[in-house]
């Protein structure tokens, strides 16, 4: 079961993470020049709502404002938010059902409990989406041949110098390792005794991406979500 302290730390970090997304949009003046003040107003509303959510106050109301701000921004241009909005919205909605007595910075109620349904649902949602990603890769001839990373390394989001230095054999191994982790990790989450191993497999996959790809905002969000399900995985393994 997740402790008050663990959830409080997650809440603060996740709220600050979301606020960063909106701040980045505000700092992109090229975006404002093209769209006008609408994107700025949505980003400002989302940023303040994220700070409120991080404080633990009015979580449900803040979650609605954040989701609405994201919807407005994405309707203007889907590339503004370089994250997976569905993940963020799902977590915001799910955590609106968590009791608000965990305290802002210190424990507030010794009887506080994280609903087990929320933890279990988070494990299922994260595992199912990563598994879908792995199955999609497995159905692709480029991934099955082991050439995917080598063919995509010319894209700006990859660390081209590093991938070029390790050579084609290592790139092929990384390709298959990525597919294996995305397939095996979620399946191991199903079983009580292997849940922690599955968590470690997914954690390894995203840490590896952190070194190989320049999609830091997306990876940081996924690592935060792995942090949320860690207590549930650790408990089931014991």
């Amino acid at each position: 079961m997740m402790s008050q302290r663990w959830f409080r730390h997650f809440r603060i970090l996740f709220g600050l993470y979301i606020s960063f997304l909106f701040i980045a949009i505000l700092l992109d003046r090229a975006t404002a020049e093209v769209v006008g003040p609408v994107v700025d107003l949505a980003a400002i509303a989302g940023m303040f709502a994220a700070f409120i959510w991080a404080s633990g106050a009015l979580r449900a109301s803040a979650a609605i404002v954040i989701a609405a701000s994201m919807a407005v921004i994405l309707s203007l241009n889907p590339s503004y938010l370089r994250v997976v909005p569905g993940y963020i919205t799902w977590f915001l909605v799910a955590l609106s059902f968590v009791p608000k007595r965990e305290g802002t910075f210190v424990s507030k109620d010794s009887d506080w409990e994280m609903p087990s349904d929320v933890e279990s649902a988070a494990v299922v949602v994260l595992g199912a989406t990563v598994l879908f990603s792995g199955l999609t890769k497995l159905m692709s001839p480029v991934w099955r041949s082991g050439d995917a990373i080598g063919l995509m390394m010319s894209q700006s989001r990859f660390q081209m110098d590093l991938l070029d230095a390790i050579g084609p054999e290592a790139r092929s191994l990384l390709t298959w390792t990525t597919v294996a982790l995305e397939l095996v990790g979620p399946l191991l989450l199903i079983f009580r005794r292997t849940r922690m191993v599955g968590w470690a497999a997914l954690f390894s996959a995203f840490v590896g991406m952190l070194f190989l790809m320049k999609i830091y905002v997306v990876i940081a969000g996924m690592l935060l979500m792995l942090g949320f399900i860690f207590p549930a995985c650790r408990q089931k393994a014991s």
Side-chain angles (χ1 to χ4, degrees), residues 16-211:
L16 293 177
Y17 169 77
I18 297 171
S19 66
F20 169 80
L21 300 178
F22 290 114
I23 291 171
I25 293 172
L26 283 171
L27 294 177
D28 185 358
R29 300 322 302 161
T31 294
E33 290 175 5
V34 172
V35 180
V38 176
V39 68
D40 282 345
L41 292 174
I44 290 171
M47 178 189 67
F48 280 111
F51 282 128
I52 293 172
W53 196 91
S55 74
L58 304 172
R59 281 208 304 268
S61 300
I64 292 173
V65 175
I66 293 169
S69 299
M70 286 187 173
V72 170
I73 292 169
L74 289 171
S75 69
L76 298 171
N77 189 330
S79 67
Y80 287 158
L81 288 169
R82 299 182 180 279
V83 293
V84 184
Y87 268 125
I88 292 177
T89 303
W90 186 91
F91 265 85
L92 290 172
V93 171
L95 298 181
S96 294
F97 296 95
V98 174
K100 299 177 177 62
R101 304 185 307 275
E102 79 278 5
T104 302
F105 298 109
V106 295
S107 297
K108 186 176 180 181
D109 187 346
S110 58
D111 295 328
W112 182 91
E113 257 185 18
M114 166 64 68
S116 59
D117 290 347
V118 172
E119 284 189 287
S120 299
V123 172
V124 171
V125 168
L126 188 59
T129 49
V130 174
L131 179 61
F132 177 78
S133 174
L135 290 172
T136 302
K137 289 181 175 65
L138 190 63
M139 290 187 290
S140 169
V142 175
W143 281 91
R144 288 201 305 270
S145 67
D147 298 327
I149 291 179
L151 293 173
M152 293 187 295
M153 61 181 284
S154 60
Q155 298 179 12
S156 59
R157 63 179 180 173
F158 283 85
Q159 299 285 5
M160 289 179 284
D161 292 341
L162 176 59
L163 287 171
D164 185 57
I166 63 177
E169 293 82 7
R171 290 197 296 270
S172 180
L173 178 61
L174 282 173
T175 300
W176 272 109
T177 300
T178 301
V179 176
L181 290 175
E182 289 190 356
L183 291 175
V184 176
L187 294 177
L188 292 175
L189 292 178
I190 298 173
F191 305 102
R192 179 176 63 86
R193 294 185 180 278
T194 59
R195 191 160 287 178
M196 192 61 207
V197 178
W199 184 92
L202 297 182
F203 181 78
S204 300
F206 287 114
V207 169
M209 293 179 192
L210 193 62
F211 286 99

Side-chain angles (χ1 to χ4, degrees), residues 226-238:
L226 279 174
F228 180 84
I229 71 170
F230 177 76
C233 295
R234 181 180 57 182
Q235 177 193 13
K236 296 297 181 182
S238 61

